[in-house]
Amino acid sequence: MRKVQITGWGMSVPEKVMTNAEIEKLVDTSDEWIKSRSGISERRICGDEESVATMAIEAGKRAIERARIDPAEIDLVILATLTDARLLPSTAAYVQEGVGARRAGAFDLDCACTGFIAGLGVAAQFIATGAMQKILVIGADAVSRILDWTDRGTCVLFGDGAGAVVVEAGDEGIPLSLYLRNDGSAANALTVPSPMGVRSELPANREFVITMDGPAIFRFAVEAMVDAAREVCDRSGIALDDFDLVIPHQANLRIIQAAARALKVPMDKVYTNVERYGNTSGGSIPLALAEAVDAGRIKKGDRILLVGFGAGMSWGALTLEWTAETASARLSEIPLAAATA
Ligand code: COA
């Protein structure tokens, strides 16, 4: 089996910043409550001309530029998202066109906030078997579009964003290890109805927004992250202490801290940006990964553990070694792609 390496990375968030003070004007909450319960100070929100597709295209273009490849070399575009710009076609179809991957296949993958880990795991199989050579994996969500802005239990926690990587075969580093689980018996803890669902379950107001059992998910999330981190370490044969950086799903700082405490991982080995972006769902882990590289928190040879959870209820982890040169990679400003969906 061939090894799998990340050769390009990129992120994209909308320009519009929404602070806790702005949310205070919409629902009965406070900056103090949001910060103390979740660690979140602000989040980004898509403007009228932005969508999951525009963010995914921008993050994807940046990853392709960093990988220094021609987009026509890409064999497959995998977009992990739950906030499709349209129900048909897949948003990946717009992204394939938007990044110029004209020889690629493309599909969306819905594994909620665990989607990027699942997508990278799927891509790794195609690369490892030799079926494909270069794959663009993107995690992106515009969760603001499915929020009930009158529900203080959910609207304070989420934001919009995207991250992307290019993966290719290579000789360096440790083999990528994946652990992926789902417990469908808890599937109703976090849902968004669909117009195609059972008629008796359609919301009377036809608003298709998130409903969530926050405290139940909190308990699940800590256990799930601990389980996934331990299991993926077993699979990779590398002790948790020997990882240089853990990049968790950025849902809530307290969930991250509780899982780190249980795993005895010091917080200086855990990357967080939830305070600035909130929970960007599928975008969360790749956005944090790309930002960590650009912030100099990841260098060649570092061992990285990605760990996440989400609706489903799904959870998983993935380990890899960072093999790309980071110092020489300078991000040129690529203008946001014209809205395609
Ligand atoms: N502002 C003020 N009060 C709020 C509030 C808000 N934005 N949202 C909820 N509350 C209230 C509730 O109504 C409840 O009041 P009650 O006790 O009078 O019924 C109380 O706060 C709940 O407080 P607490 O039990 O301390 O909440 P918590 O510590 O569990 O924090 C969450 C609530 C939602 C922040 C937390 O449970 C959480 O983050 N869960 C995980 C959610 C998640 O990550 N979902 C996405 C998964 S991918």
Side-chain angles (χ1 to χ4, degrees), residues 21 33 163:
W33 192 96

Side-chain angles (χ1 to χ4, degrees), residues 7-10 56-65 67 69 71 73-80 92 95-101 104-107 116 119-120 123 127 132-139 163-168:
T7 56
W9 62 97
I57 290 169
E58 185 172 63
K61 281 184 168 180
R62 288 181 168 155
I64 292 166
E65 179 180 285
I69 60 169
E73 294 172 55
I74 293 172
D75 298 304
L76 180 64
V77 176
I78 300 176
L79 175 63
V95 177
Q96 172 265 314
E97 166 69 13
V99 302
F107 58 79
F116 181 74
L120 194 47
I127 302 277
M132 293 185 186
Q133 313 306 320
K134 294 181 171 71
I135 301 181
L136 178 64
V137 185
I138 305 174
V165 295
V166 171
V167 287
E168 301 181 46

Side-chain angles (χ1 to χ4, degrees), residues 28-29 33 37 113 152-153 156-158 190 212 214-215 217-218 249 251-252 254-255 279 309-310:
D28 180 14
T29 190
W33 192 96
R37 298 301 213 288
C113 303
R152 66 179 184 172
V156 303
L157 297 175
F158 295 92
L190 179 52
M212 168 180 101
I217 293 173
F218 194 110
H249 171 41
N252 181 322
R254 283 165 56 223
I255 292 175
N279 180 349
F309 64 92

Side-chain angles (χ1 to χ4, degrees), residues 7 32 35 54 68 70 74 113 126 149 152 157 164 168 171 187 209 212 216 235 250 264 284 291 313 326:
T7 56
E32 197 280 326
K35 275 192 198 144
T54 63
R68 298 178 203 285
D70 181 333
I74 293 172
C113 303
F126 287 127
W149 289 97
R152 66 179 184 172
L157 297 175
E168 301 181 46
D171 304 319
V209 292
M212 168 180 101
R235 285 181 189 194
Q250 308 285 317
K264 300 191 170 55
S284 155
E291 197 182 66
M313 293 301 290
T326 53

